[in-house]
C-alpha cells in the first residue's frame, strides 16, 4: 500500500465504502470529479485573466511612453529602456504569481506602481520638452535683439 489511492481501492474491495450503497459511492465520486473540473476551469480562467491584465498593463505603459517620447536620442533611449525593463518585470512577475512564489495582490501593487512611474515619466518628458522650447524661444529673441552676442 504505497499511497492513498491504493489504500482507498483496498478499502472499497473490502466493502468499507463509508456509504450505504455503491450507487451513493459512485454519485459521490461524480460530485468530486465535477468539483475538480470546476476548480481546474477556474484556475485556467484566472491564468488567462492574469495574462490579459499583464499584457494590458504593458500596452498602457507603452502607449503612454510613445505618446510622450522625447525628441533627443538620449532621453528617448532611456524611456525605451525603462519600458523594456518594466515589460520584463511584468512578465517575470506573472510567472512568479502562476508558480505561487508571490501573491497576486503583490503583483497588482507592482503594476500600479509601474503605471504611476510611467505617468511621472510622461510628466517629466513633457515638462522637459516645454522648458527646452521656452529656452530656445528666449535664446532666439536674445539673438534677434543682440546679434553682436552670437558666437559662431
Amino acid at each position: 500500500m504505497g499511497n492513498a489511492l491504493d489504500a482507498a481501492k483496498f478499502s472499497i474491495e473490502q466493502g468499507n465504502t463509508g456509504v450505504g450503497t455503491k450507487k451513493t459511492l459512485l454519485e459521490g465520486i461524480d460530485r468530486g470529479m465535477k468539483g475538480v473540473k470546476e476548480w481546474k476551469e477556474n484556475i485556467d480562467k484566472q491564468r488567462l485573466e492574469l495574462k490579459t491584465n499583464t499584457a494590458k498593463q504593458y500596452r498602457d505603459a507603452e502607449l503612454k511612453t510613445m505618446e510622450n517620447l522625447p525628441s533627443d536620442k538620449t532621453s528617448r533611449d532611456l524611456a525605451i529602456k525603462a519600458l523594456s525593463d518594466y515589460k520584463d518585470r511584468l512578465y517575470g512577475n506573472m510567472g512568479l504569481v502562476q508558480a505561487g512564489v508571490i501573491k497576486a495582490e503583490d503583483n497588482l501593487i507592482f503594476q500600479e506602481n509601474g503605471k504611476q512611474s510611467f505617468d511621472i515619466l510622461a510628466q517629466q518628458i513633457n515638462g522637459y520638452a516645454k522648458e527646452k522650447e521656452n529656452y530656445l524661444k528666449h535664446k532666439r529673441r536674445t539673438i534677434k535683439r543682440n546679434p553682436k552676442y552670437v558666437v559662431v
Side-chain angles (χ1 to χ4, degrees):
M1 298 299 150
N3 60 32
L5 182 59
D6 289 336
K9 285 180 188 178
F10 178 77
S11 180
I12 290 172
E13 288 170 359
Q14 300 303 312
N16 301 326
T17 60
V19 292
T21 64
K22 290 185 180 184
K23 180 182 177 193
T24 309
L25 172 67
L26 294 175
E27 287 172 353
I29 291 171
D30 288 342
R31 280 193 306 273
M33 292 304 293
K34 183 180 178 190
V36 169
K37 182 181 176 191
E38 289 172 357
W39 171 78
K40 173 73 169 109
E41 287 172 353
N42 187 40
I43 286 178
D44 291 343
K45 179 182 152 207
Q46 288 179 352
R47 283 188 173 179
L48 178 61
E49 188 176 302
L50 177 63
K51 287 179 183 178
T52 304
N53 288 345
T54 300
K56 182 182 180 316
Q57 288 290 333
Y58 174 69
R59 283 192 307 273
D60 291 347
E62 183 180 39
L63 179 64
K64 184 160 292 278
T65 302
M66 294 306 171
E67 284 175 352
N68 299 296
L69 210 55
S71 57
D72 66 292
K73 183 175 176 7
T74 303
S75 297
R76 184 174 56 244
D77 290 348
L78 288 173
I80 291 172
K81 171 88 171 88
L83 184 62
S84 175
D85 291 346
Y86 179 66
K87 178 182 179 182
D88 292 343
R89 285 285 310 272
L90 269 177
Y91 285 101
N93 279 6
M94 181 182 74
L96 292 173
V97 168
Q98 288 176 339
V101 176
I102 63 172
K103 295 179 184 176
E105 295 83 13
D106 294 339
N107 190 41
L108 291 175
I109 292 168
F110 170 76
Q111 289 177 350
E112 186 59 32
N113 287 344
K115 181 181 178 301
Q116 290 173 0
S117 295
F118 280 99
D119 288 343
I120 292 167
L121 178 63
Q123 290 172 358
Q124 288 176 339
I125 289 170
N126 287 332
Y128 173 76
K130 288 176 186 175
E131 286 179 29
K132 184 177 177 182
E133 185 179 319
N134 288 338
Y135 170 76
L136 291 175
K137 281 181 186 178
H138 177 70
K139 188 174 180 181
R140 282 188 216 117
R141 276 187 265 150
T142 304
I143 291 172
K144 284 182 182 178
R145 287 189 215 147
N146 302 316
K148 64 182 178 180
Y149 292 115
V150 175
V151 177
V152 181

